[in-house]
Amino acid sequence: MRQHTSAAAIRTASGPVQTSFRDLTCGDARPEYAGRPVKLSGWVNRRRDLGNLIFLDVRDRYGVTQVVVDVSESPDAHTVASTVRNEFVVQAQGTLTTRLPGTENASLPTGQVELRAARIDVLSTARNPPFPINDPDAEIAEELRLRHRYLDIRREPMQRRLFARSRLVQAIRDVHHAHGFVEIETPMLIKSTPEGARDFIVPSRLQPGNVYALPQSPQQLKQLLMVSGIDRYFQIARCMRDEDLRGDRQPEFTQLDLEMSFVSEGDVMAFVEQMAIEVSRRVAPARLFQEMPFPRFTYRDALDRYGTDKPDIRYGLELRDLGGVVEGSGFRVFDETLAGGGRVFGLAALGMGGASRSEIDELTAFAKRFGAKGLVWLAVEQDGSVRSPVGKFLGEDRARRLVAAAGGSPGDLVLVVADRDVVAQEVLGRLRVEVAARLGLGDATVLAYCWVHRFPMYQWDEAAGRWDATHNPFSGVVPEDEELLVTASGDPTRPDRSDPAGRARAMQYDLVLNGWELGGGSVRIHQRDLLERSFALMGHSLEGMRDKFGGLLDAFEYGAPPHGGIALGIDRWAALLTFQTNIREVMAFPKTQSGADLMLGAPSPVDPRQLAELGLRFELPKRER
Ligand code: ASP
């Protein structure tokens, strides 16, 4: 194809873009270029055929420019233009002109001008797409979008989100470099590092019968880099975890992974907070921060006040412990719960005192779904009197005191759950979010970051009969709790749920944004003996430790600096910064809930020769054969 060259060729001062196929992008055309010869390339966004005049809106990533093809000016171009359809890729050459007064399009940055075509070339034809590309508001089934993701990404909303994500990663890189961090890539074929999920494994051809694990995170490698003296490491790291998928989970995802040497918990939190603020400001300058410095909650406080370790602090609706008020009330449900060591928590749903019976039934069903045996409710009338099915058991005076203790005022609905503390907290924590959604609380434009820290070091794994790390097995213990890292029996190989270790708190912190856990990290154990003690509580024999973590344990004998770090989910961060509730919306090529790539058709059967080379054979349950 002949390329049009011209003495008056346009040199764009800034921005991407001049190539042999175009002088300007479809977003650059402005009156200042009027009268100049211009060529543009892009997709046909829309064609309007008025007979002798054909209008082609030509689109690329940068914008849309109107091309006018007039049969009397250029009959050949008109012939070509009459054959093109939406999504054809074309090159248009001609003269950029200002539009006639009254025909400008104020809603387009290029709307003052149009290209009067002298020549149209079709660079590529296109089938009719399975969904409209040029309508950003079109409702399209997600499955169809994923099957034709390359077309979905051609649409403006996906492009906008992917560009925001790119700006996020760029800001992360800039801020880390400015703070002395070094970006280092770690391998994808590694030895398993447990992060609490199943590994994806890759069989080795060169060492038959052995496998690599795909990294659940670069955890051990980044700690080894601290032993190497790198001091400050970060990586935009791909992580793979074979777990059941939910809205904010994917089998592979991206983390901002970082590690720092010679740091305390406070040092890591201070850097990460500063970094999160700088990055947010650059990516989403219009968003306001709910609170700075970010509030910090201990794990215990977060559960007591919000019923969750990822509190959405854009609204109050805090939980209140009602144990003191209901003690000795004579109401069996409360008395038995307290006698059994359980707790009674409540929250005041502001202004919901007029809730209908069916609304209360819905909230009760919701509470039961998360394990509550029932939901007690008390509506506060305008005169302060209390209407409740349990009113007659509590008596007027105690019902009023309960409402006051829950923070209820006239017009509010107080919701109460009595159960084991974890159940009561979790149920009310979820009810809190549900009530907030019903009340329309939580300004979507606000960024409400907060920290949760001082997590328990371990949780008891009933099935395995051992302690398990609440975050990751390398987390350090709060110094004053170090002596708790022992078993009750004194025999380190016989953990029991009554061990002092169960009370130990970790130097561990989570960063939370608008009720989503953005990520977590810890200051690590950097002494081999303490790490071995901690591993033993988690049921690892000495040989087991050597097999799983031998490399790290050995390294710790060669001078390991105190160190700590964190990993933040980039997918979640990008989603929150672009007002999305599903991370698939900010991933170019995500998988479905069943882990499928609908576009490329993965996973797929494997060539038997490939299996034979690896010495593998599938033994599938009958129905899957
Ligand atoms: N490796 C941890 C994770 O992926 C993060 C950390 O502790 O730095 O959650």
Side-chain angles (χ1 to χ4, degrees):
M1 189 191 59
R2 189 178 62 88
Q3 289 298 316
H4 176 104
T5 49
S6 150
I10 291 167
R11 295 263 158 237
T12 46
S14 64
V17 287
Q18 204 168 30
T19 72
S20 48
F21 282 85
R22 65 182 180 211
D23 302 311
L24 292 174
T25 72
C26 299
D28 290 329
R30 293 287 184 284
E32 65 189 277
Y33 302 122
R36 317 274 288 267
V38 162
K39 65 184 181 236
L40 295 177
S41 294
W43 286 261
V44 175
N45 196 50
R46 210 149 63 96
R47 188 182 74 124
R48 273 155 300 146
D49 193 336
L50 308 183
N52 291 341
L53 271 188
I54 298 174
F55 292 93
L56 301 179
D57 290 342
V58 183
R59 177 197 73 230
D60 61 16
R61 183 188 132 181
Y62 311 93
V64 176
T65 299
Q66 173 166 291
V67 175
V68 190
V69 195
D70 186 333
V71 72
S72 62
E73 286 170 23
S74 40
D76 292 350
H78 187 271
T79 306
V80 179
S82 64
T83 68
V84 309
R85 293 200 301 268
N86 282 3
E87 301 311 316
F88 274 35
V89 183
V90 297
Q91 183 184 51
Q93 308 182 43
T95 307
L96 202 69
T97 51
T98 44
R99 294 196 197 181
L100 291 176
T103 67
E104 301 97 338
N105 181 347
S107 64
L108 272 187
T110 61
Q112 300 294 307
V113 292
E114 60 196 8
L115 186 75
R116 308 240 23 136
R119 175 181 178 137
I120 303 283
D121 288 287
V122 173
L123 304 179
S124 185
T125 61
R127 283 165 59 186
N128 196 21
F131 45 78
I133 308 296
N134 56 9
D135 175 4
D137 302 319
E139 301 249 344
I140 310 161
E142 196 186 14
E143 193 190 312
L144 199 58
R145 292 175 55 203
L146 290 178
R147 200 173 287 285
H148 300 274
R149 192 60 152 186
Y150 46 90
L151 291 179
D152 191 28
I153 295 177
R154 201 185 281 171
R155 298 172 59 239
E156 189 270 339
M158 274 306 293
Q159 296 210 344
R160 188 170 10 97
R161 293 196 286 268
L162 291 180
F163 300 157
R165 182 183 173 126
S166 172
R167 286 201 308 278
L168 171 64
V169 172
Q170 185 182 353
I172 287 171
R173 287 206 157 99
D174 290 350
V175 174
H176 279 78
H177 287 299
H179 284 83
F181 282 77
V182 183
E183 182 168 7
I184 297 179
E185 287 172 73
T186 53
M188 298 306 271
L189 297 175
I190 63 165
K191 181 158 175 105
S192 171
T193 293
E195 291 280 2
R198 224 173 273 118
D199 284 326
F200 282 105
I201 57 172
V202 180
S204 162
R205 180 180 58 79
L206 298 176
Q207 297 188 30
N210 289 316
V211 298
Y212 301 97
L214 298 179
Q216 290 187 35
S217 84
Q219 183 65 35
Q220 292 197 68
L221 295 154
K222 69 174 171 175
Q223 290 193 242
L224 289 165
L225 287 171
M226 295 303 104
V227 180
S228 307
I230 290 298
D231 197 63
R232 294 186 159 208
Y233 139 96
F234 85 101
Q235 180 178 194
I236 307 298
R238 307 301 298 279
C239 303
M240 272 132 273
R241 299 183 189 177
D242 187 2
E243 54 193 352
D244 296 330
L245 308 182
R246 298 200 305 254
D248 55 355
R249 293 243 164 109
Q250 280 276 308
E252 50 182 312
F253 57 96
T254 311
Q255 284 186 341
L256 157 60
D257 191 45
L258 68 95
E259 196 77 7
M260 308 163 76
S261 289
F262 303 108
V263 286
S264 66
E265 219 184 323
D267 295 321
V268 182
M269 290 165 84
F271 165 72
V272 173
E273 183 162 330
Q274 187 56 37
M275 182 270 298
I277 292 170
E278 283 181 45
V279 166
S280 308
R281 282 200 172 125
R282 285 173 57 161
V283 181
R287 307 276 291 267
L288 296 178
F289 293 88
Q290 165 97 11
E291 208 175 319
M292 283 190 296
F294 301 165
R296 295 182 181 186
F297 304 99
T298 65
Y299 173 75
R300 283 268 138 253
D301 271 357
L303 288 186
D304 280 353
R305 292 175 59 180
Y306 302 104
T308 173
D309 58 5
K310 27 183 181 298
D312 191 337
I313 56 162
R314 286 174 298 170
Y315 45 85
L317 295 183
E318 290 190 24
L319 277 49
R320 299 286 170 83
D321 186 342
L322 304 176
V325 190
V326 301
E327 198 177 0
S329 67
F331 178 45
R332 206 168 43 90
V333 174
F334 292 164
D335 288 349
E336 285 177 4
T337 301
L338 292 177
R343 291 170 80 180
V344 179
F345 280 100
L347 75 80
L350 306 181
M352 279 184 72
S356 66
R357 190 65 233 187
S358 71
E359 237 178 314
I360 290 176
D361 287 348
E362 277 169 31
L363 292 175
T364 305
F366 181 91
K368 287 186 173 165
R369 227 182 16 260
F370 294 102
K373 290 190 274 298
L375 181 67
V376 172
W377 60 269
L378 304 93
V380 194
E381 307 284 12
Q382 288 311 330
D383 64 2
S385 64
V386 177
R387 180 168 53 85
S388 167
V390 303
K392 57 180 178 295
F393 301 109
L394 295 177
E396 174 77 19
D397 175 54
R398 199 186 291 264
R400 281 182 188 249
R401 279 190 289 129
L402 184 154
V403 162
S409 307
D412 295 348
L413 180 70
V414 172
L415 302 172
V416 183
V417 177
D419 217 307
R420 287 192 296 126
D421 60 351
V422 281
V423 176
Q425 284 166 336
E426 159 150 24
V427 170
L428 271 176
R430 290 186 186 268
L431 272 169
R432 176 177 175 269
V433 175
E434 172 67 19
V435 163
R438 285 171 186 243
L439 293 175
L441 303 179
D443 181 346
T445 66
V446 162
L447 297 173
Y449 287 98
C450 66
W451 288 103
V452 176
H453 69 151
R454 300 281 142 129
F455 284 79
M457 188 80 183
Y458 308 108
Q459 61 207 4
W460 184 249
D461 181 338
E462 197 63 61
R466 61 175 176 82
W467 293 103
D468 200 4
T470 51
H471 173 62
N472 78 37
F474 312 101
S475 295
V477 62
V478 169
E480 57 267 31
D481 290 357
E482 195 177 314
E483 62 198 26
L484 297 175
L485 295 202
V486 289
T487 57
S489 67
D491 178 350
T493 64
R494 315 194 74 187
D496 181 88
R497 68 171 327 142
S498 67
D499 290 341
R503 300 198 307 276
R505 292 161 303 162
M507 290 192 283
Q508 181 191 323
Y509 31 76
D510 277 2
L511 184 61
V512 177
L513 173 55
N514 294 3
W516 281 26
E517 180 194 328
L518 205 51
S522 60
V523 167
R524 327 294 179 184
I525 300 178
H526 71 282
Q527 298 108 331
R528 179 173 182 146
D529 53 344
L530 193 57
L531 190 54
E532 285 183 350
R533 233 165 90 197
S534 182
F535 282 158
L537 287 164
M538 292 184 268
H540 295 292
S541 64
L542 269 181
E543 307 79 75
M545 287 179 217
R546 199 142 296 138
D547 173 49
K548 282 209 168 71
F549 311 112
L552 189 70
L553 289 170
D554 283 350
F556 279 9
E557 292 188 352
Y558 291 94
H563 59 282
I566 197 168
L568 303 182
I570 298 226
D571 311 286
R572 289 186 190 175
W573 209 358
L576 285 161
L577 291 175
T578 56
F579 303 100
Q580 300 305 304
T581 52
N582 191 313
I583 60 171
R584 292 196 293 271
E585 296 296 351
V586 291
M587 299 176 101
F589 300 112
K591 307 228 170 5
T592 63
Q593 292 288 312
S594 57
D597 175 335
L598 297 178
M599 184 180 58
L600 298 179
S604 57
V606 59
D607 182 334
R609 276 170 308 185
Q610 271 178 297
L611 280 185
E613 259 184 341
L614 296 165
L616 290 179
R617 202 177 58 226
F618 282 132
E619 297 243 339
L620 298 180
K622 276 228 162 47
R623 63 193 159 75
E624 291 178 26
R625 274 201 190 143

